[in-house]
């Protein structure tokens, strides 16, 4: 089995997305990374949400180096998506992505220095649903992070939310 092939890797979410509208179908002939890269930037919200929901499985399946090189850079772009539903869907994926990154001993660095800063941005989003999803993810992430990371890495993200002068962003 070659890397990036969808056969037998449990990524059902990416398999055969056939719809009544041909322009919304997902091309199953593409490999995993090609499919993610193509559809994560689609003009169709449905494509982007579909791919986002499958990202935790992609992080679990791909080697850590491929996840770091190809998937993590995409998350920053998606966190800036103009559609709140996309940012909400992204925020919902952070906890399972974290769990899959922490399978690897060096995955903690990606969580601390890439995912948590992105999540911090989503916690201050103007949209209530995005903030709520980000808050839920942060709570779940704190449960799987090693305890020594809590005061050093999580509290600096949470503290400004309590000190916020803006009622809209206050937790």
């Amino acid at each position: 089995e070659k890397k990036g092939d969808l056969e037998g890797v449990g990524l059902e979410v990416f398999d055969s997305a056939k719809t009544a509208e041909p322009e919304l179908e997902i091309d199953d002939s593409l490999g995993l990374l090609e499919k993610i890269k193509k559809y994560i930037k689609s003009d169709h919200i449905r494509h982007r949400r579909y791919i986002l929901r499958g990202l935790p499985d992609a992080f679990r399946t791909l080697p850590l180096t491929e996840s770091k090189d190809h998937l993590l850079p995409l998350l920053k772009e998606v966190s800036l998506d103009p559609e709140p539903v996309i940012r909400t869907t992204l925020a919902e994926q952070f906890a399972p992505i974290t769990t899959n990154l922490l399978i690897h001993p060096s995955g903690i660095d990606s969580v601390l220095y890439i995912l948590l800063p992105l999540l911090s941005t989503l916690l201050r989003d103007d949209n209530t649903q995005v903030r709520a999803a980000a808050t839920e993810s942060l709570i779940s992430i704190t449960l799987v992070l090693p305890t020594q990371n809590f005061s050093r890495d999580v509290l600096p993200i949470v503290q400004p939310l309590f000190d916020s002068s803006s009622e809209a962003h206050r937790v």
Side-chain angles (χ1 to χ4, degrees), residues 3 56-68 72 96-111 146:
K3 294 285 184 211
D57 282 336
F59 275 93
R60 187 187 73 239
T61 303
L62 293 171
L64 184 60
T65 54
E66 285 187 45
S67 293
K68 283 182 172 182
L72 288 173
I97 288 171
T98 296
T99 300
N100 289 332
L101 283 170
L102 291 178
I103 292 169
H104 310 281
S106 62
I108 187 77
D109 290 341
S110 297
V111 172

Side-chain angles (χ1 to χ4, degrees), residues 131-147:
R131 289 194 313 271
T135 300
E136 288 294 322
S137 285
L138 182 61
I139 291 167
S140 296
I141 288 169
T142 60
L143 297 175
V144 297
L145 278 180
T147 53

Side-chain angles (χ1 to χ4, degrees), residues 33-163:
L33 282 174
E34 293 80 17
K35 193 176 289 193
I36 292 170
K37 287 178 181 181
K38 177 178 180 176
Y39 293 106
I40 199 89
K41 297 176 183 180
S42 172
D43 291 335
H44 298 286
I45 290 174
R46 184 187 240 168
H47 284 157
R48 298 194 312 266
R49 286 189 80 198
Y50 182 78
I51 292 300
L52 285 172
R53 289 179 176 150
L55 281 181
D57 282 336
F59 275 93
R60 187 187 73 239
T61 303
L62 293 171
L64 184 60
T65 54
E66 285 187 45
S67 293
K68 283 182 172 182
D69 292 346
H70 301 286
L71 299 181
L72 288 173
L74 294 173
L75 298 182
K76 176 150 178 79
E77 291 178 49
V78 176
S79 72
L80 301 172
D81 194 288
E83 294 294 335
V85 69
I86 297 300
R87 297 190 311 276
T88 300
T89 304
L90 174 64
E92 293 167 348
Q93 307 315 309
F94 273 67
I97 288 171
T98 296
T99 300
N100 289 332
L101 283 170
L102 291 178
I103 292 169
H104 310 281
S106 62
I108 187 77
D109 290 341
S110 297
V111 172
L112 298 178
Y113 304 115
I114 297 171
L115 290 186
L116 285 181
L118 289 174
L119 191 57
S120 175
T121 301
L122 294 173
L123 285 164
R124 293 185 311 272
D125 197 277
D126 289 335
N127 184 279
T128 307
Q129 289 178 315
V130 175
R131 289 194 313 271
T135 300
E136 288 294 322
S137 285
L138 182 61
I139 291 167
S140 296
I141 288 169
T142 60
L143 297 175
V144 297
L145 278 180
T147 53
Q148 70 267 20
N149 296 103
F150 185 78
S151 61
R152 187 186 70 213
D153 301 302
V154 176
L155 284 181
I157 291 171
V158 176
Q159 188 64 41
L161 299 173
F162 290 103
D163 297 337

